[in-house]
Amino acid sequence: MVVGINAIDVIDHPDTARPARPAATVVLVRQGEGDIEVLMIRRHSRTAFGGMWAFPGGAVEDEDVPPGTAPDPLPAARRAAVRETVEEVGLVVAEEALVWISHWLPPAGAPIRFSTWFFVAAAQEGVIEIDHSEVHEHRWLRPSEALASHNRGEIELVTPTYVTLARLAAHSTVEAALDVSAPSFFATRIAKTTGGVRACLYDGDAGYASGDCEAAGARRRLLMHTAAPWAWEDTVYGV
């Protein structure tokens, strides 16, 4: 019997008109001089999130679901992460080396919806061979360097990539980046501050349930300024 992605549980909002497709992403990290570096790729303009800088990854396919593991989605996400990394950049990463760091879910009304498992892994030696049908170029960047490039308008990042880099910027070694006690969950809610700044709110933020950015209390949000650098605020977990 063939078991595909319809047999696994996909994290999503209830009763969505456009169900999210399961996906997986791998953040490959290596030790640089005094700081970690992450492998980033620029997606081809014809792909989803075309032109954006991201991490290797993509949608979970039917063949990624290991026999006997459904409805658990995590084994399929791990297998998809490994497959996509080979396909997009030619690097091999073992499934058991993947550390699950987060899960990302866009708002119910988003035009492109992926329910995405994010993993981090230490990069192994190997020649990067990019898939030019989906990937235009690649760079090894310090997380802080990638964030600064985005804020200067030199590269473009989507929200999950930006926040992941902001959190990784707190670590200076590969060992610290891999030391994750539990994954974080980010189900995005879009709101605006009274000053008109677009904000992505996450569970734990004082305004998450109400959508009120001015609610007093904890902050767990990304402020997407148009005339100033984006700002990740997390007083709940600190990173």
Side-chain angles (χ1 to χ4, degrees):
M1 180 178 65
V2 178
V3 177
I5 59 173
N6 291 331
I8 64 175
D9 290 332
V10 178
I11 300 173
D12 202 351
H13 298 291
D15 303 320
T16 54
R18 185 186 294 107
R21 184 174 181 182
T25 289
V26 183
V27 186
L28 292 173
V29 296
R30 72 180 185 184
Q31 193 63 51
E33 294 185 7
D35 208 346
I36 60 171
E37 297 175 335
V38 299
L39 179 63
M40 302 200 68
I41 58 175
R42 183 159 71 91
R43 300 233 169 253
H44 197 283
S45 59
R46 295 191 301 268
T47 65
F49 308 110
M52 302 281 190
W53 283 84
F55 311 114
V60 176
E61 305 291 350
D62 287 345
E63 61 266 28
D64 296 319
V65 183
T69 62
D72 183 1
L74 193 55
R78 289 183 180 277
R79 187 160 292 185
V82 171
R83 174 182 55 76
E84 287 284 349
T85 304
V86 173
E87 291 177 358
E88 293 192 333
V89 296
L91 296 181
V92 176
V93 57
E95 288 184 33
E96 59 270 19
L98 297 173
V99 178
W100 181 22
I101 57 171
S102 60
H103 180 275
W104 285 84
L105 185 65
I112 301 176
R113 304 196 68 250
F114 287 100
S115 176
T116 308
W117 285 261
F118 272 61
F119 302 96
V120 64
Q124 303 301 310
E125 294 294 328
V127 177
I128 296 177
E129 299 177 354
I130 62 174
D131 170 16
H132 288 279
S133 66
E134 296 186 16
V135 179
H136 190 71
E137 61 181 302
H138 76 279
R139 297 180 193 172
W140 285 98
L141 296 170
R142 298 189 309 276
S144 59
E145 179 184 8
L147 295 171
S149 292
H150 169 86
N151 287 328
R152 289 193 299 265
E154 298 167 351
I155 66 173
E156 193 172 359
L157 304 173
V158 293
T159 301
T161 307
Y162 190 98
V163 175
T164 300
L165 288 167
R167 300 174 78 209
L168 285 172
H171 306 302
S172 60
T173 66
V174 171
E175 290 76 13
L178 297 174
D179 186 14
V180 180
S181 58
S184 300
F185 291 85
F186 297 92
T188 306
R189 178 164 190 164
I190 303 295
K192 279 191 176 182
T193 69
T194 54
V197 177
R198 192 165 182 259
C200 292
L201 307 181
Y202 302 101
D203 190 26
D205 191 283
Y208 184 72
S210 64
D212 179 10
C213 285
E214 311 310 320
R219 293 290 182 259
R220 195 171 185 236
R221 61 180 64 180
L222 177 65
L223 296 174
M224 296 180 287
H225 301 277
T226 56
W230 285 10
W232 169 242
E233 300 180 356
D234 190 349
T235 62
V236 180
Y237 298 102
V239 291

